[in-house]
Amino acid sequence: MIEHRLELPDPWTARYTDGTPQNGARLSAWMNQDYLARTWKQDWPADRWTELLREHEERSDVGSFTVDHRGRPFAYIEVYEPATSVLADHGDWAKEDLGFHFAVVEPELLRRGLARDLMGDLCATLFAQYPGARLIAVEPDVANTAIARLFEYTGFALARTVQLPHKQAALMVLPREAHGRSRSTARTGPATAPDPR
């Protein structure tokens, strides 16, 4: 079950994003930005986003969050269970395994290394908050090479390419046992990593 909380460390603050019209309008404005419309392909009107957020509220296998950086909106994240998602037929998932979708919603904060930092903190938080999770999965569009490089920097490895209903995706996984190694490498690695666009 995906909890309605995400206990990220400072300087991040995660807020559960429920299906209010205000949240729907905010997500619609963010996702209609050119770079997110190209990569997420969910440049929907506000009422459709409100409907999706309400659907997430009613389910136990997905949760929607807005993440602030020092009080400023930075990212939208959906945490989900691959076993009950569109990935269900593309892996041998345990019920406790996790996946997430990740979008930087404030373009002025791109290319500052913040997405790299949040990605590492998010994975650490998920493994700590869900001790039964064996792995974390992500499935970016194969055309979104920037976010794929960011996932690789965080320690994710390509499992295979899969065809999902709305995209051809690069299925990437981060096993729990590999996470500590990737974190120590990231701390001593290059000063910059690609930010998703």
Side-chain angles (χ1 to χ4, degrees):
M1 183 178 73
I2 303 301
E3 301 174 348
H4 289 187
R5 63 186 179 90
L6 196 55
E7 298 180 348
L8 293 168
D10 290 340
W12 313 107
T13 304
R15 292 175 285 111
Y16 183 75
T17 306
D18 57 13
T20 65
Q22 294 86 349
N23 283 334
R26 186 176 298 113
L27 262 295
S28 178
W30 286 336
M31 293 301 175
N32 273 275
Q33 297 177 101
D34 288 344
Y35 72 101
L36 287 177
R38 287 195 307 270
T39 55
W40 271 60
K41 300 180 176 67
Q42 291 179 241
D43 47 336
W44 303 334
D47 57 350
R48 186 171 178 186
W49 268 106
T50 300
E51 181 180 356
L52 178 66
L53 293 172
R54 288 176 177 169
E55 289 176 4
H56 289 180
E57 280 189 90
E58 295 172 358
R59 294 168 55 182
S60 62
D61 60 350
V62 63
S64 304
F65 302 89
T66 301
V67 177
D68 293 351
H69 176 261
R70 303 192 189 282
R72 183 176 182 181
F74 177 73
Y76 172 70
I77 295 171
E78 294 172 348
V79 181
Y80 65 92
E81 296 175 357
T84 57
S85 75
V86 294
L87 292 179
D89 295 331
H90 297 286
D92 183 18
W93 311 109
K95 172 65 175 173
E96 295 82 6
D97 292 338
L98 298 171
F100 66 81
H101 301 133
F102 180 97
V104 175
V105 299
E106 178 47 77
E108 292 183 3
L109 296 180
L110 284 164
R111 303 196 183 283
R112 299 187 184 186
L114 296 176
R116 172 202 63 195
D117 294 343
L118 175 56
M119 190 76 70
D121 287 338
L122 173 62
C123 291
T125 294
L126 290 175
F127 278 131
Q129 197 168 315
Y130 297 90
R134 303 175 307 166
L135 58 83
I136 300 171
V138 292
E139 22 82 11
D141 192 301
V142 293
N144 192 351
T145 56
I147 190 73
R149 290 196 303 272
L150 180 60
F151 287 136
E152 289 174 352
Y153 185 88
T154 307
F156 285 85
L158 178 66
R160 59 191 163 277
T161 299
V162 298
Q163 185 62 53
L164 300 180
H166 59 300
K167 64 182 177 182
Q168 187 178 26
L171 176 57
M172 307 177 75
V173 296
L174 175 64
R176 178 180 290 273
E177 60 270 18
H179 179 249
R181 296 196 299 273
S182 66
R183 290 282 279 175
S184 61
T185 300
R187 294 303 185 192
T188 58
T192 60
D195 272 327
R197 300 225 26 129

